[in-house]
Amino acid sequence: MRRLLIWLVLGLSSSVIAQPNIVLIVAEDLSPRIGAFGDEIAQTPNIDALAEQGVRFTQVFSASGVCAPNRSALITGVYPQALGTQHMRTSNKNYEAVPPPQVKAFPELLRQAGYVTANTAKTDYQFGEPFTIWDVNEGNFALPPDLALWRQLPADKPFFAMINLMSTHESRLATLETKGQGAFGSVIKGLALARKATVREVTEPLLVRVPELYPDTMAVRESIAQHYDNIHYMDAQVGEVIGNLAMDGLLDKTFVIWMTDHGDGLPRAKRAVYDSGLLVPLILRLPDGGGAGRVDARLVSIVDLAPSILDLAGVNVPDFVQGQSMLTTDHRRDFVFAGRDRMDAVPDHVRAARNERYKYIRNYRSELPYFRPLAFRDMFPVMQALWQAKDAGTLNEQQASYFQAPRPREELYDTQRDPQEMVNLAGLPEYAEILARQRRAMDDWIVRVGDKSDIDEDQLIETMWPQGQQPVTQMPSIERQGDRVVITSKTPGASIAYRIDPAGVVAGLFNASRGWQLYTRPLPWTEEKASTTLVAKAVRYGYAESAEAEYHWAD
């Protein structure tokens, strides 16, 4: 019945396949600066065409305005502060978060259901990179992604492919004159050179709109225009992905989702809980063209993505997931929620609750100014313009307020009348009832999902990595029970995978030399395997991988 409701909501025909292919394309650091979402400057013909063929979701919000905490929410369907992944980054304090033992990334759940999975260019989950999530996981921050990633997967199984497009990332706002600080120096220079060779200038700086919170200088306009040029380049990459699916005869057999991970890579957008940092565009293209051109304006949180993809694949959504599928008739959110915590070396603790109209923000560290020195962000032109104007004393009152302390303990904005969230209504008597409602919603949410920022981060680390040492997953135990071989691990929540050596002995074994098969049930023992060796390994998210266990079938 749930499956039928999904088809009815999406407008799919009853002939849709039971286990469809799914491609998720995620662009970096980008608000809805897309023609199909109403932006008049953006040149995005491929994404606009995708929107005409699919469903546009116009009220989708990330759980954090920065990548790593938000990607943990995207991949698990659980809020960052419930996982212990809320700080940016855990690696800055030399640890990885340890989620509750039952938590699994949704691609691993897809593998359990018979899918093969592939990822390119980025993981960034903050609980490590468990080897059980992906059959293929390749690429890095700087290299171009594989825009036909599914070709690395076997053709006889349904696939999930996640293609991360870094071309709109904040780092691509560097120019050849940008001076990267410390370890960033050579990386930023290389990215600027690569961008210069690949990205065309298609945006006129004098035509872009400069938000009121930035100084309106030519350097700022040129940086915003550069962002639009990066978007145009990313749009061509999306077109190539779609073209490759069509070339392979897969487009009408595949759900295609295009979205971004959080808002713009610009100041008071990235790393913020204002809509400029949280509101993201999302398009879902259906295999049979159902719902083409439709607009869905329901509130959606990034934690809803994992259960939605599991629903598309016909996989049961586990109880640990805190999101809800956006693809059913009963999906109805009154609020979306988000947080901001430590950003690199800069401490903070902010929570936000938004309904269809009003945004409520609670600043737990109101004694600290919003803008403080932050090495990575401060390299780029718009933030440099803000610092320079501050030093020169030329900021207007609104701009200067972001450098001042204390901040308001509470903020309230009418996002319909004030989309830039500039006028704080929290102290006005006529908004007292609305403020109280938003406040209650946030309190109820924190009680419901939990918030690991209620304790000091050093204490949090101690609960997950006692005495600063990463826990180690116990080596699996392999035991023959009659005509079956059973693999177990004593570590609660451990995921187990195996391979059979030498590679290729077992018919249909995929990529044994590169990857591991996810263990989901006992393996049959047969005489044909007697000359081979079964190798097993386990990992709990946030733990170090176990040692490898071996079992000789002949034994």
Side-chain angles (χ1 to χ4, degrees):
M1 177 60 69
R2 184 174 182 84
R3 187 82 164 169
L4 177 59
L5 288 174
I6 294 169
W7 302 153
L8 290 174
V9 169
L10 296 178
L12 280 165
S13 70
S14 60
S15 61
V16 72
I17 55 177
Q19 286 189 304
N21 303 317
I22 303 169
V23 171
L24 173 62
I25 309 168
V26 182
E28 290 269 308
D29 297 12
L30 178 60
S31 298
R33 294 182 187 265
I34 304 296
F37 286 80
D39 193 292
E40 297 178 352
I41 302 296
Q43 299 184 44
T44 52
N46 294 291
I47 298 173
D48 295 348
L50 188 67
E52 290 178 2
Q53 300 166 19
V55 181
R56 273 177 292 152
F57 291 82
T58 59
Q59 294 292 303
V60 181
F61 294 85
S62 57
S64 173
V66 72
C67 52
N70 200 55
R71 282 184 177 263
S72 71
L74 182 156
I75 209 72
T76 63
V78 181
Y79 289 101
Q81 65 272 13
L83 291 174
T85 56
Q86 71 273 27
H87 296 290
M88 177 70 185
R89 303 181 178 267
T90 58
S91 60
N92 284 17
K93 288 207 169 186
N94 300 313
Y95 74 101
E96 291 171 355
V98 178
Q102 68 272 24
V103 172
K104 303 292 181 187
F106 77 81
E108 182 170 319
L109 300 177
L110 292 175
R111 291 188 79 192
Q112 290 179 11
Y115 275 75
V116 284
T117 63
N119 179 71
T120 182
K122 196 167 189 180
T123 47
D124 219 8
Y125 313 132
Q126 305 220 99
F127 48 71
E129 296 186 13
F131 69 101
T132 51
I133 297 178
W134 304 106
D135 288 287
V136 171
N137 184 20
E138 64 168 32
N140 61 42
F141 182 85
L143 294 177
D146 182 347
L147 300 179
L149 186 61
W150 55 89
R151 293 175 184 167
Q152 299 189 42
L153 297 170
D156 60 343
K157 292 185 177 182
F159 66 79
F160 170 76
M162 185 169 179
I163 300 173
N164 298 287
L165 303 179
M166 306 301 300
S167 39
T168 52
H169 187 265
E170 177 184 31
S171 59
R172 273 58 171 187
L173 294 175
T175 68
L176 296 179
E177 291 73 40
T178 299
K179 292 180 171 56
Q181 300 184 26
F184 299 134
S186 59
V187 173
I188 291 299
K189 185 72 170 179
L191 291 174
L193 288 169
R195 184 190 171 279
K196 184 73 173 176
T198 55
V199 178
R200 291 192 299 119
E201 295 183 2
V202 297
T203 310
E204 170 54 57
L206 292 176
L207 296 181
V208 304
R209 187 181 67 83
V210 178
E212 295 174 37
L213 55 104
Y214 304 152
D216 191 349
T217 68
M218 185 52 67
V220 168
R221 285 184 169 275
E222 288 174 348
S223 190
I224 295 173
Q226 181 168 323
H227 187 37
Y228 276 113
D229 293 344
N230 294 340
I231 295 167
H232 180 253
Y233 176 72
M234 179 274 296
D235 177 79
Q237 292 180 303
V238 173
E240 188 172 342
V241 174
I242 302 303
N244 288 334
L245 284 168
M247 184 188 307
D248 293 349
L250 294 171
L251 188 56
D252 293 333
K253 303 174 184 177
T254 304
F255 283 98
V256 178
I257 303 169
W258 175 85
M259 65 180 301
T260 71
D261 63 344
H262 55 74
D264 282 330
L266 295 165
R268 197 185 170 272
K270 186 169 183 174
R271 304 175 183 89
V273 295
Y274 302 106
D275 280 7
S276 54
L278 302 179
L279 179 62
V280 300
L282 188 150
I283 298 169
L284 170 62
R285 185 192 185 280
L286 284 54
D288 70 348
R294 192 160 64 86
V295 175
D296 192 320
R298 292 176 297 168
L299 286 176
V300 175
S301 168
I302 197 71
V303 295
D304 299 336
L305 188 69
S308 299
I309 290 177
L310 293 173
D311 264 353
L312 288 177
V315 177
N316 290 333
V317 178
D319 292 340
F320 71 78
V321 171
Q322 294 175 341
Q324 53 181 283
S325 174
M326 61 187 182
L327 305 178
T328 58
T329 54
D330 57 354
H331 178 277
R332 173 69 186 180
R333 279 190 171 275
D334 294 323
F335 289 88
V336 290
F337 303 93
R340 165 185 162 98
D341 291 87
R342 175 178 56 77
M343 295 292 158
D344 300 341
V346 179
D348 214 339
H349 183 185
V350 182
R351 296 293 177 262
R354 188 195 195 281
N355 63 12
E356 290 184 348
R357 180 166 181 173
Y358 292 98
K359 165 79 67 61
Y360 169 69
I361 296 173
R362 183 180 297 164
N363 293 300
Y364 290 84
R365 301 295 306 272
S366 58
E367 78 279 9
L368 301 172
Y370 178 78
F371 281 142
R372 285 160 277 158
L374 199 161
F376 194 86
R377 179 203 61 202
D378 291 353
M379 291 186 292
F380 304 111
V382 177
M383 195 65 218
Q384 288 197 338
L386 282 163
W387 282 115
Q388 290 163 6
K390 175 182 180 295
D391 292 342
T394 58
L395 293 173
N396 64 34
E397 183 179 354
Q398 183 74 41
Q399 294 162 354
S401 69
Y402 298 112
F403 293 90
Q404 298 167 355
R407 283 180 280 175
R409 173 71 176 178
E410 295 181 304
E411 301 173 55
L412 179 69
Y413 299 99
D414 183 339
T415 64
Q416 288 183 11
R417 294 183 176 179
D418 177 24
Q420 292 190 61
E421 294 164 280
M422 307 285 276
V423 181
N424 184 9
L425 306 172
L428 300 181
E430 58 265 40
Y431 289 93
E433 185 176 338
I434 293 171
L435 179 66
R437 181 186 64 200
Q438 305 285 122
R439 190 187 288 144
R440 285 194 303 270
M442 179 179 289
D443 291 340
D444 291 346
W445 169 69
I446 290 173
V447 169
R448 186 172 72 252
V449 306
D451 193 337
K452 293 185 183 296
S453 285
D454 286 343
I455 63 172
D456 179 78
E457 188 178 7
D458 290 338
Q459 293 178 273
L460 175 65
I461 295 170
E462 180 64 23
T463 66
M464 297 188 291
W465 283 32
Q467 298 180 327
Q469 298 299 309
Q470 184 176 24
V472 179
T473 311
Q474 289 200 30
M475 184 173 69
S477 172
I478 307 175
E479 179 184 2
R480 182 177 172 185
Q481 298 178 2
D483 61 352
R484 306 185 309 163
V485 174
V486 177
I487 311 176
T488 56
S489 173
K490 291 183 179 180
T491 299
S495 298
I496 301 172
Y498 70 94
R499 69 171 192 265
I500 299 175
D501 293 337
V505 167
V506 180
L509 182 66
F510 170 59
N511 222 354
S513 62
R514 289 178 53 188
W516 295 77
Q517 298 299 291
L518 191 65
Y519 177 78
T520 58
R521 61 181 62 87
L523 306 175
W525 189 96
T526 64
E527 292 287 348
E528 290 79 9
K529 297 176 183 174
S531 63
T532 65
T533 299
L534 174 67
V535 182
K537 187 168 65 169
V539 64
R540 175 176 168 180
Y541 293 8
Y543 281 37
E545 296 176 0
S546 75
E548 294 182 2
E550 291 189 359
Y551 171 80
H552 301 282
W553 295 91
D555 297 344

